[in-house]
Amino acid sequence: MNSPLRTKLLEYGREVIELELSEAKKLPARLDHNFIQACELMLTTKGKVIVSGIGKSGHIGKKIAASLASTGTPSFFMHLTEALHGDLGMVSETDIIILISYSGQANEFNYILPILKDKGIPIIAITGKKTSPLARAAKAVLDVSIEREACPMGLAPTSSSTNTLLMGDALAITVMRAKNFNEEDFARSHPAGSLGAKLLNRVKDIMRTGERIPKIPENATVFDAMLELSRTGLGLVIICNTDRHIKGVFTDGDLRRLLLKDGTLNDPIIQVMTTPGYRLPENWKAIEALKSFNDYNITAAPVVDQNDCLVGAINIHDLHQAGIS
């Protein structure tokens, strides 16, 4: 049974979300030539995009810088106070800077704005005060103003910080799309993630090589194939000549079917192997290999180079262990 306190907790939480949403809904109509100018500055800069702020604006700025960097815009966060104590040395004349301040009147601006002006570094302002010192110094002013914070005292940045975060996302994703930044580009910024594994790894990066390749010569027998199947555990053995050209393949399933048909372990492998046998190019992406396995309902395959010579072998478990699924 709900107590009065529990009812109040839900009421407070919903009020915060609804209030922040109502303020955020006003943002799309504010995107104008200033937003275009900001995007154009970010698209044409030969340097980096530095994001800076202080307090809650600084926390939001870190997220904006991270979003920009991961979506194809070289960027880093610089704390506004630290900038005045040496970190400004990281800013070059080819960079642009996004300064975040709801009031646009932080004391630090008295020092940093003249320096940025002297260096000719373009400023993009994200602020709630379009007439503030920060806004007047900026080439593009992005308006995140609100009527009410979700904090009942109007003190804790809530609606304003949400608006700032949304504006930063709008910048990052708009510039990303304008650059035609794609999944593979994204994966290069996230090589350790599952997307990186899918889009960056190629068959040659995952395949088994050397002694781990299950292979036998053309004059081998079914018994030889069985031993090689047991030794490597790949589920497949490759029959190839001395020039590493594949003549066929023989699988665990082929062995079972052969024995059920009264075949013997002394049968020449060349008479019972599957020819020519499916094979994967070494330069295929790993995700393409997985799709191929699923399309052909197979679990293992030899890997060949551009001359169709055997260079490795791979099965579906190798792909899964590499994070390809």
mmCIF file with all atom_site columns, all heavy atoms in Angstrom, residues 230-252:
data_model
loop_
_atom_site.group_PDB
_atom_site.id
_atom_site.type_symbol
_atom_site.label_atom_id
_atom_site.label_alt_id
_atom_site.label_comp_id
_atom_site.label_asym_id
_atom_site.label_entity_id
_atom_site.label_seq_id
_atom_site.pdbx_PDB_ins_code
_atom_site.Cartn_x
_atom_site.Cartn_y
_atom_site.Cartn_z
_atom_site.occupancy
_atom_site.B_iso_or_equiv
_atom_site.pdbx_formal_charge
_atom_site.auth_seq_id
_atom_site.auth_comp_id
_atom_site.auth_asym_id
_atom_site.auth_atom_id
_atom_site.pdbx_PDB_model_num
ATOM 1   N N   . SER A 1 230 ? 40.451 -34.666 -34.882 1.00 0.00 ? 230 SER A N   1
ATOM 2   C CA  . SER A 1 230 ? 40.583 -34.784 -33.431 1.00 0.00 ? 230 SER A CA  1
ATOM 3   C C   . SER A 1 230 ? 41.677 -33.860 -32.898 1.00 0.00 ? 230 SER A C   1
ATOM 4   O O   . SER A 1 230 ? 41.544 -33.268 -31.832 1.00 0.00 ? 230 SER A O   1
ATOM 5   C CB  . SER A 1 230 ? 40.907 -36.229 -33.050 1.00 0.00 ? 230 SER A CB  1
ATOM 6   O OG  . SER A 1 230 ? 39.876 -37.097 -33.467 1.00 0.00 ? 230 SER A OG  1
ATOM 7   N N   . ARG A 1 231 ? 42.762 -33.713 -33.647 1.00 0.00 ? 231 ARG A N   1
ATOM 8   C CA  . ARG A 1 231 ? 43.897 -32.901 -33.195 1.00 0.00 ? 231 ARG A CA  1
ATOM 9   C C   . ARG A 1 231 ? 43.538 -31.426 -33.088 1.00 0.00 ? 231 ARG A C   1
ATOM 10  O O   . ARG A 1 231 ? 43.911 -30.743 -32.127 1.00 0.00 ? 231 ARG A O   1
ATOM 11  C CB  . ARG A 1 231 ? 45.077 -33.075 -34.154 1.00 0.00 ? 231 ARG A CB  1
ATOM 12  C CG  . ARG A 1 231 ? 46.323 -32.294 -33.729 1.00 0.00 ? 231 ARG A CG  1
ATOM 13  C CD  . ARG A 1 231 ? 47.434 -32.395 -34.779 1.00 0.00 ? 231 ARG A CD  1
ATOM 14  N NE  . ARG A 1 231 ? 47.147 -31.593 -35.962 1.00 0.00 ? 231 ARG A NE  1
ATOM 15  C CZ  . ARG A 1 231 ? 47.404 -30.297 -36.080 1.00 0.00 ? 231 ARG A CZ  1
ATOM 16  N NH1 . ARG A 1 231 ? 47.937 -29.630 -35.072 1.00 0.00 ? 231 ARG A NH1 1
ATOM 17  N NH2 . ARG A 1 231 ? 47.126 -29.640 -37.193 1.00 0.00 ? 231 ARG A NH2 1
ATOM 18  N N   . THR A 1 232 ? 42.800 -30.913 -34.053 1.00 0.00 ? 232 THR A N   1
ATOM 19  C CA  . THR A 1 232 ? 42.559 -29.467 -34.117 1.00 0.00 ? 232 THR A CA  1
ATOM 20  C C   . THR A 1 232 ? 41.210 -29.035 -33.543 1.00 0.00 ? 232 THR A C   1
ATOM 21  O O   . THR A 1 232 ? 41.065 -27.897 -33.093 1.00 0.00 ? 232 THR A O   1
ATOM 22  C CB  . THR A 1 232 ? 42.646 -28.975 -35.569 1.00 0.00 ? 232 THR A CB  1
ATOM 23  O OG1 . THR A 1 232 ? 41.657 -29.655 -36.357 1.00 0.00 ? 232 THR A OG1 1
ATOM 24  C CG2 . THR A 1 232 ? 44.022 -29.258 -36.150 1.00 0.00 ? 232 THR A CG2 1
ATOM 25  N N   . GLY A 1 233 ? 40.231 -29.946 -33.578 1.00 0.00 ? 233 GLY A N   1
ATOM 26  C CA  . GLY A 1 233 ? 38.915 -29.607 -33.028 1.00 0.00 ? 233 GLY A CA  1
ATOM 27  C C   . GLY A 1 233 ? 38.178 -28.523 -33.778 1.00 0.00 ? 233 GLY A C   1
ATOM 28  O O   . GLY A 1 233 ? 37.274 -27.890 -33.226 1.00 0.00 ? 233 GLY A O   1
ATOM 29  N N   . LEU A 1 234 ? 38.543 -28.280 -35.030 1.00 0.00 ? 234 LEU A N   1
ATOM 30  C CA  . LEU A 1 234 ? 37.876 -27.220 -35.798 1.00 0.00 ? 234 LEU A CA  1
ATOM 31  C C   . LEU A 1 234 ? 36.550 -27.681 -36.388 1.00 0.00 ? 234 LEU A C   1
ATOM 32  O O   . LEU A 1 234 ? 35.684 -26.873 -36.698 1.00 0.00 ? 234 LEU A O   1
ATOM 33  C CB  . LEU A 1 234 ? 38.796 -26.733 -36.923 1.00 0.00 ? 234 LEU A CB  1
ATOM 34  C CG  . LEU A 1 234 ? 38.327 -25.489 -37.677 1.00 0.00 ? 234 LEU A CG  1
ATOM 35  C CD1 . LEU A 1 234 ? 38.596 -24.233 -36.856 1.00 0.00 ? 234 LEU A CD1 1
ATOM 36  C CD2 . LEU A 1 234 ? 39.011 -25.359 -39.031 1.00 0.00 ? 234 LEU A CD2 1
ATOM 37  N N   . GLY A 1 235 ? 36.396 -29.005 -36.527 1.00 0.00 ? 235 GLY A N   1
ATOM 38  C CA  . GLY A 1 235 ? 35.178 -29.526 -37.156 1.00 0.00 ? 235 GLY A CA  1
ATOM 39  C C   . GLY A 1 235 ? 35.311 -29.711 -38.647 1.00 0.00 ? 235 GLY A C   1
ATOM 40  O O   . GLY A 1 235 ? 34.353 -30.066 -39.329 1.00 0.00 ? 235 GLY A O   1
ATOM 41  N N   . LEU A 1 236 ? 36.527 -29.471 -39.169 1.00 0.00 ? 236 LEU A N   1
ATOM 42  C CA  . LEU A 1 236 ? 36.758 -29.531 -40.607 1.00 0.00 ? 236 LEU A CA  1
ATOM 43  C C   . LEU A 1 236 ? 38.231 -29.800 -40.848 1.00 0.00 ? 236 LEU A C   1
ATOM 44  O O   . LEU A 1 236 ? 39.090 -29.309 -40.108 1.00 0.00 ? 236 LEU A O   1
ATOM 45  C CB  . LEU A 1 236 ? 36.334 -28.213 -41.248 1.00 0.00 ? 236 LEU A CB  1
ATOM 46  C CG  . LEU A 1 236 ? 36.734 -27.900 -42.695 1.00 0.00 ? 236 LEU A CG  1
ATOM 47  C CD1 . LEU A 1 236 ? 35.613 -27.139 -43.393 1.00 0.00 ? 236 LEU A CD1 1
ATOM 48  C CD2 . LEU A 1 236 ? 38.001 -27.043 -42.720 1.00 0.00 ? 236 LEU A CD2 1
ATOM 49  N N   . VAL A 1 237 ? 38.524 -30.582 -41.900 1.00 0.00 ? 237 VAL A N   1
ATOM 50  C CA  . VAL A 1 237 ? 39.898 -30.778 -42.328 1.00 0.00 ? 237 VAL A CA  1
ATOM 51  C C   . VAL A 1 237 ? 39.997 -30.402 -43.806 1.00 0.00 ? 237 VAL A C   1
ATOM 52  O O   . VAL A 1 237 ? 39.052 -30.605 -44.575 1.00 0.00 ? 237 VAL A O   1
ATOM 53  C CB  . VAL A 1 237 ? 40.365 -32.238 -42.087 1.00 0.00 ? 237 VAL A CB  1
ATOM 54  C CG1 . VAL A 1 237 ? 39.555 -33.215 -42.910 1.00 0.00 ? 237 VAL A CG1 1
ATOM 55  C CG2 . VAL A 1 237 ? 41.848 -32.391 -42.372 1.00 0.00 ? 237 VAL A CG2 1
ATOM 56  N N   . ILE A 1 238 ? 41.112 -29.820 -44.185 1.00 0.00 ? 238 ILE A N   1
ATOM 57  C CA  . ILE A 1 238 ? 41.289 -29.297 -45.543 1.00 0.00 ? 238 ILE A CA  1
ATOM 58  C C   . ILE A 1 238 ? 42.258 -30.196 -46.294 1.00 0.00 ? 238 ILE A C   1
ATOM 59  O O   . ILE A 1 238 ? 43.348 -30.529 -45.785 1.00 0.00 ? 238 ILE A O   1
ATOM 60  C CB  . ILE A 1 238 ? 41.847 -27.860 -45.482 1.00 0.00 ? 238 ILE A CB  1
ATOM 61  C CG1 . ILE A 1 238 ? 40.922 -26.967 -44.643 1.00 0.00 ? 238 ILE A CG1 1
ATOM 62  C CG2 . ILE A 1 238 ? 42.027 -27.292 -46.891 1.00 0.00 ? 238 ILE A CG2 1
ATOM 63  C CD1 . ILE A 1 238 ? 41.640 -25.841 -43.928 1.00 0.00 ? 238 ILE A CD1 1
ATOM 64  N N   . ILE A 1 239 ? 41.866 -30.598 -47.494 1.00 0.00 ? 239 ILE A N   1
ATOM 65  C CA  . ILE A 1 239 ? 42.727 -31.419 -48.339 1.00 0.00 ? 239 ILE A CA  1
ATOM 66  C C   . ILE A 1 239 ? 43.372 -30.491 -49.369 1.00 0.00 ? 239 ILE A C   1
ATOM 67  O O   . ILE A 1 239 ? 42.669 -29.800 -50.115 1.00 0.00 ? 239 ILE A O   1
ATOM 68  C CB  . ILE A 1 239 ? 41.932 -32.537 -49.037 1.00 0.00 ? 239 ILE A CB  1
ATOM 69  C CG1 . ILE A 1 239 ? 41.282 -33.455 -47.988 1.00 0.00 ? 239 ILE A CG1 1
ATOM 70  C CG2 . ILE A 1 239 ? 42.845 -33.349 -49.967 1.00 0.00 ? 239 ILE A CG2 1
ATOM 71  C CD1 . ILE A 1 239 ? 39.917 -33.059 -47.546 1.00 0.00 ? 239 ILE A CD1 1
ATOM 72  N N   . CYS A 1 240 ? 44.701 -30.428 -49.372 1.00 0.00 ? 240 CYS A N   1
ATOM 73  C CA  . CYS A 1 240 ? 45.379 -29.525 -50.301 1.00 0.00 ? 240 CYS A CA  1
ATOM 74  C C   . CYS A 1 240 ? 46.655 -30.158 -50.837 1.00 0.00 ? 240 CYS A C   1
ATOM 75  O O   . CYS A 1 240 ? 47.202 -31.097 -50.235 1.00 0.00 ? 240 CYS A O   1
ATOM 76  C CB  . CYS A 1 240 ? 45.673 -28.186 -49.639 1.00 0.00 ? 240 CYS A CB  1
ATOM 77  S SG  . CYS A 1 240 ? 46.709 -28.288 -48.174 1.00 0.00 ? 240 CYS A SG  1
ATOM 78  N N   . ASN A 1 241 ? 47.133 -29.632 -51.963 1.00 0.00 ? 241 ASN A N   1
ATOM 79  C CA  . ASN A 1 241 ? 48.365 -30.145 -52.555 1.00 0.00 ? 241 ASN A CA  1
ATOM 80  C C   . ASN A 1 241 ? 49.568 -29.411 -51.989 1.00 0.00 ? 241 ASN A C   1
ATOM 81  O O   . ASN A 1 241 ? 49.436 -28.550 -51.108 1.00 0.00 ? 241 ASN A O   1
ATOM 82  C CB  . ASN A 1 241 ? 48.307 -30.063 -54.087 1.00 0.00 ? 241 ASN A CB  1
ATOM 83  C CG  . ASN A 1 241 ? 48.192 -28.612 -54.593 1.00 0.00 ? 241 ASN A CG  1
ATOM 84  O OD1 . ASN A 1 241 ? 48.499 -27.660 -53.878 1.00 0.00 ? 241 ASN A OD1 1
ATOM 85  N ND2 . ASN A 1 241 ? 47.742 -28.460 -55.830 1.00 0.00 ? 241 ASN A ND2 1
ATOM 86  N N   . THR A 1 242 ? 50.740 -29.731 -52.508 1.00 0.00 ? 242 THR A N   1
ATOM 87  C CA  . THR A 1 242 ? 51.971 -29.134 -51.969 1.00 0.00 ? 242 THR A CA  1
ATOM 88  C C   . THR A 1 242 ? 52.074 -27.643 -52.252 1.00 0.00 ? 242 THR A C   1
ATOM 89  O O   . THR A 1 242 ? 52.871 -26.940 -51.629 1.00 0.00 ? 242 THR A O   1
ATOM 90  C CB  . THR A 1 242 ? 53.208 -29.850 -52.561 1.00 0.00 ? 242 THR A CB  1
ATOM 91  O OG1 . THR A 1 242 ? 53.127 -29.825 -53.992 1.00 0.00 ? 242 THR A OG1 1
ATOM 92  C CG2 . THR A 1 242 ? 53.272 -31.290 -52.064 1.00 0.00 ? 242 THR A CG2 1
ATOM 93  N N   . ASP A 1 243 ? 51.284 -27.127 -53.194 1.00 0.00 ? 243 ASP A N   1
ATOM 94  C CA  . ASP A 1 243 ? 51.271 -25.694 -53.498 1.00 0.00 ? 243 ASP A CA  1
ATOM 95  C C   . ASP A 1 243 ? 50.232 -24.938 -52.681 1.00 0.00 ? 243 ASP A C   1
ATOM 96  O O   . ASP A 1 243 ? 49.953 -23.776 -52.955 1.00 0.00 ? 243 ASP A O   1
ATOM 97  C CB  . ASP A 1 243 ? 50.998 -25.472 -54.989 1.00 0.00 ? 243 ASP A CB  1
ATOM 98  C CG  . ASP A 1 243 ? 52.136 -25.975 -55.861 1.00 0.00 ? 243 ASP A CG  1
ATOM 99  O OD1 . ASP A 1 243 ? 53.295 -25.890 -55.418 1.00 0.00 ? 243 ASP A OD1 1
ATOM 100 O OD2 . ASP A 1 243 ? 51.856 -26.451 -56.969 1.00 0.00 ? 243 ASP A OD2 1
ATOM 101 N N   . ARG A 1 244 ? 49.624 -25.617 -51.690 1.00 0.00 ? 244 ARG A N   1
ATOM 102 C CA  . ARG A 1 244 ? 48.607 -25.047 -50.799 1.00 0.00 ? 244 ARG A CA  1
ATOM 103 C C   . ARG A 1 244 ? 47.310 -24.712 -51.526 1.00 0.00 ? 244 ARG A C   1
ATOM 104 O O   . ARG A 1 244 ? 46.520 -23.908 -51.043 1.00 0.00 ? 244 ARG A O   1
ATOM 105 C CB  . ARG A 1 244 ? 49.126 -23.779 -50.094 1.00 0.00 ? 244 ARG A CB  1
ATOM 106 C CG  . ARG A 1 244 ? 50.258 -24.038 -49.127 1.00 0.00 ? 244 ARG A CG  1
ATOM 107 C CD  . ARG A 1 244 ? 50.651 -22.801 -48.340 1.00 0.00 ? 244 ARG A CD  1
ATOM 108 N NE  . ARG A 1 244 ? 51.219 -21.778 -49.180 1.00 0.00 ? 244 ARG A NE  1
ATOM 109 C CZ  . ARG A 1 244 ? 50.732 -20.553 -49.298 1.00 0.00 ? 244 ARG A CZ  1
ATOM 110 N NH1 . ARG A 1 244 ? 49.652 -20.195 -48.639 1.00 0.00 ? 244 ARG A NH1 1
ATOM 111 N NH2 . ARG A 1 244 ? 51.318 -19.676 -50.088 1.00 0.00 ? 244 ARG A NH2 1
ATOM 112 N N   . HIS A 1 245 ? 47.075 -25.331 -52.674 1.00 0.00 ? 245 HIS A N   1
ATOM 113 C CA  . HIS A 1 245 ? 45.796 -25.165 -53.353 1.00 0.00 ? 245 HIS A CA  1
ATOM 114 C C   . HIS A 1 245 ? 44.812 -26.204 -52.811 1.00 0.00 ? 245 HIS A C   1
ATOM 115 O O   . HIS A 1 245 ? 45.143 -27.392 -52.736 1.00 0.00 ? 245 HIS A O   1
ATOM 116 C CB  . HIS A 1 245 ? 45.948 -25.302 -54.871 1.00 0.00 ? 245 HIS A CB  1
ATOM 117 C CG  . HIS A 1 245 ? 46.554 -24.090 -55.499 1.00 0.00 ? 245 HIS A CG  1
ATOM 118 N ND1 . HIS A 1 245 ? 47.834 -24.067 -56.015 1.00 0.00 ? 245 HIS A ND1 1
ATOM 119 C CD2 . HIS A 1 245 ? 46.067 -22.830 -55.663 1.00 0.00 ? 245 HIS A CD2 1
ATOM 120 C CE1 . HIS A 1 245 ? 48.117 -22.876 -56.494 1.00 0.00 ? 245 HIS A CE1 1
ATOM 121 N NE2 . HIS A 1 245 ? 47.058 -22.100 -56.282 1.00 0.00 ? 245 HIS A NE2 1
ATOM 122 N N   . ILE A 1 246 ? 43.640 -25.740 -52.449 1.00 0.00 ? 246 ILE A N   1
ATOM 123 C CA  . ILE A 1 246 ? 42.647 -26.605 -51.805 1.00 0.00 ? 246 ILE A CA  1
ATOM 124 C C   . ILE A 1 246 ? 41.953 -27.482 -52.845 1.00 0.00 ? 246 ILE A C   1
ATOM 125 O O   . ILE A 1 246 ? 41.478 -26.994 -53.869 1.00 0.00 ? 246 ILE A O   1
ATOM 126 C CB  . ILE A 1 246 ? 41.602 -25.749 -51.050 1.00 0.00 ? 246 ILE A CB  1
ATOM 127 C CG1 . ILE A 1 246 ? 42.298 -24.937 -49.956 1.00 0.00 ? 246 ILE A CG1 1
ATOM 128 C CG2 . ILE A 1 246 ? 40.512 -26.634 -50.455 1.00 0.00 ? 246 ILE A CG2 1
ATOM 129 C CD1 . ILE A 1 246 ? 41.395 -23.903 -49.304 1.00 0.00 ? 246 ILE A CD1 1
ATOM 130 N N   . LYS A 1 247 ? 41.904 -28.777 -52.539 1.00 0.00 ? 247 LYS A N   1
ATOM 131 C CA  . LYS A 1 247 ? 41.219 -29.723 -53.411 1.00 0.00 ? 247 LYS A CA  1
ATOM 132 C C   . LYS A 1 247 ? 39.830 -30.080 -52.893 1.00 0.00 ? 247 LYS A C   1
ATOM 133 O O   . LYS A 1 247 ? 38.941 -30.451 -53.658 1.00 0.00 ? 247 LYS A O   1
ATOM 134 C CB  . LYS A 1 247 ? 42.054 -31.003 -53.548 1.00 0.00 ? 247 LYS A CB  1
ATOM 135 C CG  . LYS A 1 247 ? 43.413 -30.784 -54.199 1.00 0.00 ? 247 LYS A CG  1
ATOM 136 C CD  . LYS A 1 247 ? 43.236 -30.206 -55.598 1.00 0.00 ? 247 LYS A CD  1
ATOM 137 C CE  . LYS A 1 247 ? 44.567 -29.964 -56.286 1.00 0.00 ? 247 LYS A CE  1
ATOM 138 N NZ  . LYS A 1 247 ? 44.400 -29.421 -57.646 1.00 0.00 ? 247 LYS A NZ  1
ATOM 139 N N   . GLY A 1 248 ? 39.647 -29.955 -51.595 1.00 0.00 ? 248 GLY A N   1
ATOM 140 C CA  . GLY A 1 248 ? 38.346 -30.252 -51.011 1.00 0.00 ? 248 GLY A CA  1
ATOM 141 C C   . GLY A 1 248 ? 38.393 -30.134 -49.500 1.00 0.00 ? 248 GLY A C   1
ATOM 142 O O   . GLY A 1 248 ? 39.433 -29.807 -48.912 1.00 0.00 ? 248 GLY A O   1
ATOM 143 N N   . VAL A 1 249 ? 37.261 -30.395 -48.863 1.00 0.00 ? 249 VAL A N   1
ATOM 144 C CA  . VAL A 1 249 ? 37.164 -30.362 -47.397 1.00 0.00 ? 249 VAL A CA  1
ATOM 145 C C   . VAL A 1 249 ? 36.420 -31.594 -46.911 1.00 0.00 ? 249 VAL A C   1
ATOM 146 O O   . VAL A 1 249 ? 35.671 -32.233 -47.660 1.00 0.00 ? 249 VAL A O   1
ATOM 147 C CB  . VAL A 1 249 ? 36.447 -29.084 -46.908 1.00 0.00 ? 249 VAL A CB  1
ATOM 148 C CG1 . VAL A 1 249 ? 37.223 -27.835 -47.301 1.00 0.00 ? 249 VAL A CG1 1
ATOM 149 C CG2 . VAL A 1 249 ? 35.018 -29.020 -47.440 1.00 0.00 ? 249 VAL A CG2 1
ATOM 150 N N   . PHE A 1 250 ? 36.642 -31.910 -45.647 1.00 0.00 ? 250 PHE A N   1
ATOM 151 C CA  . PHE A 1 250 ? 35.989 -33.072 -45.029 1.00 0.00 ? 250 PHE A CA  1
ATOM 152 C C   . PHE A 1 250 ? 35.663 -32.687 -43.595 1.00 0.00 ? 250 PHE A C   1
ATOM 153 O O   . PHE A 1 250 ? 36.537 -32.216 -42.856 1.00 0.00 ? 250 PHE A O   1
ATOM 154 C CB  . PHE A 1 250 ? 36.935 -34.275 -45.075 1.00 0.00 ? 250 PHE A CB  1
ATOM 155 C CG  . PHE A 1 250 ? 36.291 -35.572 -44.695 1.00 0.00 ? 250 PHE A CG  1
ATOM 156 C CD1 . PHE A 1 250 ? 35.428 -36.235 -45.565 1.00 0.00 ? 250 PHE A CD1 1
ATOM 157 C CD2 . PHE A 1 250 ? 36.556 -36.160 -43.465 1.00 0.00 ? 250 PHE A CD2 1
ATOM 158 C CE1 . PHE A 1 250 ? 34.844 -37.442 -45.225 1.00 0.00 ? 250 PHE A CE1 1
ATOM 159 C CE2 . PHE A 1 250 ? 35.971 -37.374 -43.100 1.00 0.00 ? 250 PHE A CE2 1
ATOM 160 C CZ  . PHE A 1 250 ? 35.117 -38.008 -43.986 1.00 0.00 ? 250 PHE A CZ  1
ATOM 161 N N   . THR A 1 251 ? 34.388 -32.881 -43.201 1.00 0.00 ? 251 THR A N   1
ATOM 162 C CA  . THR A 1 251 ? 33.939 -32.407 -41.894 1.00 0.00 ? 251 THR A CA  1
ATOM 163 C C   . THR A 1 251 ? 33.599 -33.556 -40.962 1.00 0.00 ? 251 THR A C   1
ATOM 164 O O   . THR A 1 251 ? 33.531 -34.725 -41.374 1.00 0.00 ? 251 THR A O   1
ATOM 165 C CB  . THR A 1 251 ? 32.686 -31.529 -42.048 1.00 0.00 ? 251 THR A CB  1
ATOM 166 O OG1 . THR A 1 251 ? 31.597 -32.350 -42.493 1.00 0.00 ? 251 THR A OG1 1
ATOM 167 C CG2 . THR A 1 251 ? 32.919 -30.403 -43.046 1.00 0.00 ? 251 THR A CG2 1
ATOM 168 N N   . ASP A 1 252 ? 33.385 -33.203 -39.696 1.00 0.00 ? 252 ASP A N   1
ATOM 169 C CA  . ASP A 1 252 ? 32.899 -34.192 -38.721 1.00 0.00 ? 252 ASP A CA  1
ATOM 170 C C   . ASP A 1 252 ? 31.634 -34.864 -39.233 1.00 0.00 ? 252 ASP A C   1
ATOM 171 O O   . ASP A 1 252 ? 31.461 -36.082 -39.096 1.00 0.00 ? 252 ASP A O   1
ATOM 172 C CB  . ASP A 1 252 ? 32.595 -33.499 -37.383 1.00 0.00 ? 252 ASP A CB  1
ATOM 173 C CG  . ASP A 1 252 ? 33.856 -33.126 -36.623 1.00 0.00 ? 252 ASP A CG  1
ATOM 174 O OD1 . ASP A 1 252 ? 34.890 -33.768 -36.836 1.00 0.00 ? 252 ASP A OD1 1
ATOM 175 O OD2 . ASP A 1 252 ? 33.789 -32.179 -35.822 1.00 0.00 ? 252 ASP A OD2 1
#
